[in-house]
């Protein structure tokens, strides 16, 4: 991990949230909601109540947190349901899980691989010859899943959050996104570098549909959601709103009067994410999924190791060793490996994480006002470091 990242993490841990950024006018009008604790932390559990106490703040309006595992458990929520009513945040609320969707997609592909219906070493083009052009003929399914494929990102309308907001109801099809991406030259020879992008998982979702003759969403529902009883997790399709109870998401951007402030971005289509990032879930469902995944109840047998194996390549941009496996990523925190996945949609940051043995799991949803920014949200960052410790 780069020194700058370590410094940022250290600062987050030392400063905590007591000396967070000054409140914006929108927050100043809202009295802070006290953190609620659903279960007392075990002696060895991190006390995360201080991390989320005092919400809403400039960087987040609400947070829902669950820690579990043999080292102790804790549940807490803080902040507000919305800035108009100032009602307390609903701890059972649904939220946009963003790229945590990729873990569900990877698990589905690995299940199909266990059934002999997908070969991880076979080319993506052999499954989608009508969609993947010859320049990407050597990209394998495994490379799609561990971000070593070399396919660039698809073109999307807009370059700023304000422009993306204006296009938030535009419906994108996965085929359209794959054609846009594969019309460009490859970023690198497949299997030689790593570049984290959504497009590999968009292609993987289409492969799931091609080999099963079924929709991607229904396959995940049949294979993962229903067996695990994840009743509050669903795929929104083309719907821009969140079904059921949810805490509103806000994003800092330029407003209609030319000032910079918070805009409610709870309604925002997620078709650009699809199999890479459109899932809606709850912390309870994601905690149940994380426990089952790490216990080998979702992907069984040797194929589970694909999720805990980093490719021996370097990152395209930073030159650091690869940090992403099939579906997950890994960081060494507090002297041990922590595996998991973060996700971001406008107004929402999410993460699932666990030690390899499941002794400590963490799931959070932070209603971040700087979601999808260049740096990790401060509240989310402090939660991760407080739960596991600083990088080695």
């Amino acid at each position: 991990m780069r020194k700058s990242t370590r410094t940022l993490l250290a600062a987050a841990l030392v400063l905590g949230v007591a000396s967070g950024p000054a409140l914006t006018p929108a927050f100043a009008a809202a009295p802070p909601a006290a953190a609620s604790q659903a279960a007392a932390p075990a002696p060895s559990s991190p006390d995360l109540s201080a991390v989320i106490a005092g919400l809403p703040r400039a960087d987040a309006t609400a947070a829902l947190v669950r820690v579990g595992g043999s080292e102790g458990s804790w549940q807490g929520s803080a902040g507000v349901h919305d800035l108009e009513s100032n009602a307390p945040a609903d701890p059972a609320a649904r939220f946009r899980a963003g790229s945590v969707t990729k873990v569900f997609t990877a698990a589905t592909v690995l299940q199909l691989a266990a059934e002999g219906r997908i070969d991880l070493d076979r080319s993506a083009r052999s499954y989608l010859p009508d969609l993947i052009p010859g320049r990407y003929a050597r990209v394998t399914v495994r490379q799609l899943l561990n971000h070593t494929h070399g396919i660039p990102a698809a073109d999307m309308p807009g370059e700023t959050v304000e422009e993306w907001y204006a296009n938030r109801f535009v419906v994108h099809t996965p085929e359209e996104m794959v054609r846009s991406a594969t019309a460009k030259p490859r970023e690198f020879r497949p299997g030689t570098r790593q570049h984290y992008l959504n497009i590999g998982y968009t292609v993987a979702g289409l492969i799931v549909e091609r080999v099963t003759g079924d929709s991607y969403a229904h396959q995940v529902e049949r294979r993962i959601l229903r067996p695990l009883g994840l009743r509050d997790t669903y795929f929104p399709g083309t719907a821009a709103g969140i079904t059921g109870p949810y805490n509103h998401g806000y994003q800092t951007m330029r407003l209609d009067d030319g000032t910079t402030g918070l805009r409610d971005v709870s309604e925002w289509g997620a078709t650009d994410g699809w199999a890479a990032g459109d899932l809606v879930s709850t912390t309870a469902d994601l905690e149940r999924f994380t426990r089952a995944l790490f216990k080998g109840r979702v992907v069984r047998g040797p194929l589970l190791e694909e999720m805990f194996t980093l490719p021996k390549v370097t990152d395209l941009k930073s030159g650091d060793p690869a940090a992403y496996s099939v579906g997950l990523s890994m960081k060494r925190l507090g002297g041990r490996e922590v595996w998991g996945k973060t996700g971001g949609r406008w107004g929402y940051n999410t993460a699932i994480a666990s030690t390899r043995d499941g002794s400590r799991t963490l799931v959070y949803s932070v209603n971040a006002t700087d979601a999808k920014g260049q740096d990790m949200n401060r509240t989310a960052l402090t939660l991760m470091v407080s739960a596991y410790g600083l990088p080695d």
Side-chain angles (χ1 to χ4, degrees):
M1 187 170 293
R2 287 172 294 179
K3 184 177 180 181
S4 59
T5 305
R6 184 185 179 95
T7 302
L8 180 62
L9 288 165
L13 183 61
V14 172
L15 295 176
V17 293
S19 58
L23 298 181
T24 64
F27 290 111
S36 65
Q37 185 174 307
S44 59
S45 295
D47 181 8
L48 300 182
S49 58
V51 177
I52 59 175
L55 291 177
R57 291 188 298 270
D59 72 313
T61 59
L64 315 177
V65 188
R66 284 176 174 257
V67 174
S70 60
E71 296 178 359
S73 62
W74 183 84
Q75 300 171 26
S77 64
V80 295
H81 169 267
D82 65 86
L83 292 176
E84 287 68 40
S85 71
N86 295 326
D90 180 356
R94 290 173 172 173
F95 49 81
R96 302 189 187 280
S99 287
V100 172
T101 309
K102 292 181 176 71
V103 191
F104 289 77
T105 303
T108 299
V109 172
L110 291 175
Q111 285 189 11
L112 288 165
E115 296 165 11
R117 302 172 72 179
I118 290 180
D119 183 343
L120 299 181
D121 293 315
R122 188 174 163 186
S123 73
R125 190 169 190 255
S126 67
Y127 293 102
L128 302 168
D130 52 325
L131 194 59
I132 306 297
R135 66 166 61 93
Y136 294 106
R138 294 188 178 182
V139 172
T140 68
V141 176
R142 181 182 285 104
Q143 289 165 350
L144 294 174
L145 299 176
N146 67 16
H147 305 283
T148 62
H149 47 75
I151 304 173
D155 290 328
M156 291 292 171
E159 296 182 355
T160 66
V161 62
E162 293 81 11
E163 291 171 336
W164 293 322
Y165 177 78
N167 289 293
R168 67 193 182 281
F169 299 133
V170 174
V171 174
H172 305 275
T173 69
E175 293 86 357
E176 161 200 329
M177 291 188 290
V178 173
R179 290 191 183 97
S180 169
T182 57
K184 307 175 193 176
R186 67 189 189 189
E187 292 188 322
F188 50 83
R189 184 164 53 88
T192 62
R193 303 295 291 274
Q194 185 173 79
H195 186 193
Y196 178 84
L197 291 171
N198 282 348
I199 192 63
Y201 278 74
T202 304
V203 178
L206 289 170
I207 292 174
V208 168
E209 295 194 334
R210 186 65 59 92
V211 302
T212 63
D214 191 13
S215 72
Y216 158 79
H218 185 255
Q219 281 293 305
V220 178
E221 179 186 0
R222 184 178 74 81
R223 292 171 175 275
I224 301 175
L225 305 189
R226 285 207 300 255
L228 295 182
L230 308 185
R231 297 180 180 85
D232 289 313
T233 301
Y234 74 97
F235 294 93
T238 58
I242 300 174
T243 301
Y246 65 92
N247 299 316
H248 287 234
Y250 297 87
Q251 190 77 25
T252 301
M253 65 176 74
R254 189 177 64 255
L255 303 179
D256 295 339
D257 62 4
T259 63
T260 297
L262 296 180
R263 191 186 291 275
D264 190 326
V265 292
S266 307
E267 291 195 12
W268 194 312
T271 55
D272 62 307
W274 195 54
D278 71 347
L279 195 73
V280 172
S281 192
T282 64
T283 55
D285 273 9
L286 290 183
E287 183 179 56
R288 187 177 298 117
F289 170 71
T290 302
R291 289 176 177 175
L293 181 71
F294 280 71
K295 288 180 179 178
R297 292 174 45 214
V298 180
V299 179
R300 303 178 187 276
L303 283 169
L304 179 59
E305 289 307 309
E306 294 283 344
M307 304 190 84
F308 300 101
T309 303
L310 298 175
K312 297 183 184 304
V313 298
T314 56
D315 182 83
L316 177 64
K317 292 187 174 181
S318 69
D320 294 337
Y324 296 94
S325 62
V326 170
L328 300 176
S329 63
M330 190 277 286
K331 294 185 185 300
R332 287 193 59 85
L333 301 174
R336 54 186 173 176
E337 291 185 355
V338 177
W339 294 84
K341 190 72 191 72
T342 58
R345 295 293 301 182
W346 303 110
Y348 299 90
N349 278 155
T350 303
I352 65 172
S354 180
T355 52
R356 183 68 177 85
D357 60 3
S359 58
R360 174 162 293 172
T361 63
L362 170 69
V363 174
Y364 67 68
S365 170
V366 174
N367 292 56
T369 62
D370 55 359
K372 299 178 73 68
Q374 290 297 316
D375 297 317
M376 189 173 179
N377 174 268
R378 194 168 189 272
T379 297
L381 181 67
T382 311
L383 284 169
M384 186 67 71
V385 174
S386 298
Y388 291 107
L390 289 170
D392 294 0

